[in-house]
Amino acid sequence: MLDDFLVRAALAAVGTALAASILGCFVVWRRMAYFGDATAHAAILGVALALALNLSVIAGVGLVALIVALLIHRLSDRQQGTDTILGVLAHGALALGLVAVALLPGARIDLEAYLFGDVLTVTRSDLAVIWAGVLVVLALLWWHWSALLLATLNPDLATASGVDPQRENLILTLMLAGVVAVAIKVVGALLITALLVIPAAAARRASNGPERMAAVAALIGVTAALGGIALSLQLDTPTGPSIVCVAVALFACASLGGRFIRSA
């Protein structure tokens, strides 16, 4: 079955969408979209590192995303100018990555595949790594769900309940870096944040509780992933952007549906 490139693409997209959409709920609740951007844009620098050291692209991206995520986590403790620092890191890391890739000697690189994803080229080994990362993220979310939720909604109450908000923030940061690493094959560095934010934002308009929101976000993310692949094959368009377009359409439907319900 895995000899069919469409099956591999669908499995990779579904796995990535599951992890990204559920994790994206915390990104939306914490208003961390810029945090995700900075981590995702560093992925191109990870691509350059992987090619220079002859490593797996996912390993290189994961390493750099982890370093940048930890740096942002440390800087986010500062109360002044955090958004400015995130902006500098996001665009600086992307620019540095593009320059580093261009300077690699004798390398012929399809930058578009790394910027916008190319899920149709996923191999069996890529699929194994993607699902390994997805399962780790989902397991951590399941294990730390209550603590993460409490630390997100009320850090003071979390501390009083014996939950360390800083530790939970660090765990969330590590999971975000992991999702960035596995998502680069699916939607690319420029669209990873969209896969994190849009399904969760759409689910927020169609749910009335954290667990329900996470479930609806997962459903929307998977629908966008499969719908985007189908749209890409039908219209011969890039797959990563097609997935995001379907996600945006689902967000629009959820917004209109929410307005209709409120006005009824």
Side-chain angles (χ1 to χ4, degrees):
M1 183 180 68
L2 294 181
D3 288 337
D4 189 338
F5 76 97
L6 281 179
V7 173
R8 294 196 301 270
L11 289 173
V14 166
T16 304
L18 272 175
S21 55
I22 298 175
L23 184 61
C25 293
F26 289 96
V27 173
V28 169
W29 291 329
R30 290 171 178 249
R31 299 179 181 178
M32 291 172 60
Y34 222 160
F35 185 111
D37 261 338
T39 307
H41 287 178
I44 296 299
L45 187 58
V47 171
L49 176 67
L51 295 174
L53 300 179
N54 198 26
L55 299 172
S56 161
V57 170
I58 293 179
V61 169
L63 178 61
V64 172
L66 177 60
I67 292 172
V68 172
L70 290 174
L71 178 61
I72 296 171
H73 173 72
R74 182 67 180 269
L75 293 175
S76 65
D77 291 338
R78 302 181 180 183
Q79 296 299 316
Q80 188 173 8
T82 301
D83 56 342
T84 303
I85 293 171
L86 288 174
V88 171
L89 281 174
H91 301 294
L94 178 60
L96 182 60
L98 292 172
V99 170
V101 168
L103 291 177
L104 288 174
R108 297 177 60 86
I109 302 163
D110 181 12
L111 268 179
E112 187 172 319
Y114 295 114
L115 290 173
F116 303 108
D118 194 3
V119 69
L120 297 180
T121 63
V122 166
T123 64
R124 289 186 180 189
S125 58
D126 290 334
L127 189 59
V129 173
I130 287 172
W131 268 98
V134 167
L135 291 175
V136 168
V137 169
L138 293 178
L140 284 171
L141 281 170
W142 177 271
W143 185 19
H144 284 267
W145 179 263
S146 297
L148 279 168
L149 195 59
L150 190 57
T152 296
L153 299 179
N154 195 326
D156 292 334
L157 180 59
T159 301
S161 302
V163 174
D164 184 355
Q166 286 298 317
R167 183 193 64 198
E168 301 306 318
N169 290 343
L170 179 59
I171 291 171
L172 187 63
T173 299
L174 297 177
M175 287 192 290
L176 184 60
V179 166
V180 167
V182 300
I184 191 168
K185 259 298 199 185
V186 178
V187 291
L190 296 184
L191 302 176
I192 292 171
T193 309
L195 200 59
L196 283 165
V197 172
I198 296 174
R204 194 173 196 174
R205 296 174 177 269
S207 53
N208 53 8
E211 289 77 15
R212 181 179 172 84
M213 178 175 163
V216 174
L219 179 61
I220 291 173
V222 170
T223 303
L226 296 177
I229 291 175
L231 182 68
S232 172
L233 293 173
Q234 185 70 27
L235 302 180
D236 193 24
T237 53
T239 309
S242 298
I243 291 173
V244 175
C245 285
V246 174
V248 170
L250 293 172
F251 173 81
C253 291
S255 299
L256 291 174
R259 287 185 181 181
F260 178 78
I261 292 171
R262 285 192 295 271
S263 63

